[in-house]
Amino acid sequence: MYDVVLLSMAEPEGGCCGSDGCGDGHSDAPRPRVPVLHCADALRAAGARVDTVVACSDTEIDEVLSRLDGPPREDGLTWPDADGKTRLVIAVTDDGQLRHVLRRLVRRYAPAPSKRPAELPAGRTVPDLPALAVLPIDAAAVDFAAQLGLPREPAAVAAAVLGDRARRLDLLRHDGGSVTLDGVLLAGSTEDGQPVQWAGRVEVDDAVLTDGAEPLLAVAVANGSGATLLDGLPLLTAVDPADGVIDVAVAVPVRHKPLFGAPRLRIEVRRARGRAVSVTPRDTQVPFADDGVSGELTRKRSWWVEPAAWAVYTG
């Protein structure tokens, strides 16, 4: 039977006592949430050995991930154990928390370019990352796990992580050092919700979707379908998170002068697919949401796809 670690991130009000977390037995140590406890009960009832960890820091996340390491290698690389008996469940309140753990996995297992081993899959910078199960804290949330049709109830998640069915998925990496699971939407709006035009150059492989000389309303860089809507307008459809390519769309406002009546503004959507995409903003700051996490792009950023790099237990 497997050892299973149930990992969740502490909320700001959860009682963490510093950047390195709380010591054992501390009265303010954060406690697992109810869905995590129910999942742990289901796992123990199935015979698994269970450890629940509420992480307050990257150090604590990394300690959990170290349990997935393989035996020492002659080349000194830290590598996941393909035959390990430890399995991981990540309890998340949003896609940003899931992305955070995947980012730590990539940091742990991605070798330096100068130390690339022969067994690294072609076109990849990371090995096959260990499969994991996702336990949404909000069972009704519309998130990446819902897109994938993953089990959501604690007992179903427990059954999935103890099973042998896993689905491998693409992972987007970018030159800012992070990862994207679902997608990025670069778009701004005013306080009353009106879109803000901006300019930037967008390239997908060798194709130029816009050269930066025209206004844009949005750019979608997608692995899934969660970041592809602009005020109800679908910028991309039928996005497959396991097809080995990135889907990209740009929304361009075009003024249309009908034969009769006043000029109207319509939105032209240009689409492309490829292995890599770069966005170079001409404006100072372009707001974006990456897996639901907000930020501002101030300089060129490039994303590339890591085909089938990570995996989820599907039940």
Side-chain angles (χ1 to χ4, degrees):
M1 184 50 68
Y2 296 106
D3 293 318
V4 180
V5 184
L6 277 161
L7 171 65
S8 56
M9 262 57 73
E11 292 300 297
E13 68 275 12
C16 288
C17 31
S19 59
D20 292 326
C22 300
D24 293 339
H26 195 285
S27 60
D28 291 331
R31 293 184 55 80
R33 300 187 184 188
V34 171
V36 175
L37 297 175
H38 287 172
C39 187
D41 289 343
L43 288 164
R44 292 189 181 101
R49 295 174 294 271
V50 182
D51 185 17
T52 59
V53 178
V54 182
C56 298
S57 67
D58 286 346
T59 300
E60 292 175 318
I61 295 173
D62 292 345
E63 190 282 326
V64 169
L65 300 183
S66 71
R67 308 184 201 187
L68 307 176
D69 291 353
R73 295 166 51 104
E74 292 184 359
D75 57 14
L77 293 175
T78 302
W79 214 248
D81 190 353
D83 299 318
K85 292 299 183 182
T86 298
R87 294 195 169 183
L88 177 63
V89 179
I90 304 174
V92 298
T93 59
D94 53 45
D95 290 340
Q97 290 187 343
L98 179 59
R99 181 186 73 159
H100 188 85
V101 176
L102 262 294
R103 182 168 67 237
R104 302 307 301 179
L105 269 176
V106 168
R107 288 174 64 92
R108 185 167 194 85
Y109 295 125
S114 61
K115 296 184 177 181
R116 180 184 175 93
E119 68 265 36
L120 197 64
R124 290 256 298 274
T125 66
V126 295
D128 287 350
L129 299 176
L132 53 89
V134 181
L135 173 62
I137 296 299
D138 181 357
V142 179
D143 51 22
F144 194 47
Q147 281 189 52
L148 299 173
L150 299 180
R152 304 183 67 84
E153 296 299 326
V157 173
V161 78
L162 295 179
D164 295 321
R165 294 177 55 191
R167 180 184 178 188
R168 298 216 68 86
L169 301 166
D170 300 335
L171 181 69
L172 305 188
R173 295 191 66 187
H174 66 67
D175 54 7
S178 191
V179 301
T180 298
L181 309 181
D182 186 5
V184 186
L185 182 65
L186 297 103
S189 61
T190 61
E191 291 184 358
D192 58 358
Q194 295 301 309
V196 174
Q197 296 184 12
W198 54 282
R201 182 180 179 90
V202 181
E203 300 173 75
V204 181
D205 292 346
D206 296 325
V208 178
L209 288 184
T210 178
D211 62 5
E214 60 190 339
L216 298 175
L217 291 178
V219 174
V221 178
N223 188 43
S225 59
T228 59
L229 286 177
L230 176 66
D231 196 24
L233 172 68
L235 302 179
L236 292 161
T237 58
V239 181
D240 183 353
D243 60 3
V245 295
I246 307 173
D247 289 82
V248 183
V250 300
V252 182
V254 177
R255 189 167 294 278
H256 173 63
K257 178 63 172 72
L259 185 60
F260 302 100
R264 293 179 296 177
L265 196 67
R266 65 180 178 86
I267 299 177
E268 175 185 304
V269 180
R270 304 170 191 163
R271 302 179 177 93
R273 309 173 81 213
R275 295 294 304 275
V277 56
S278 66
V279 179
T280 307
R282 302 299 189 205
D283 300 72
T284 304
Q285 297 176 329
V286 179
F288 68 82
D290 186 345
D291 286 341
V293 180
S294 298
E296 290 186 331
L297 190 65
T298 59
R299 57 185 178 180
K300 180 179 179 179
R301 174 153 294 171
S302 298
W303 291 262
W304 67 92
V305 65
E306 301 272 347
W310 69 295
V312 288
Y313 291 107
T314 58

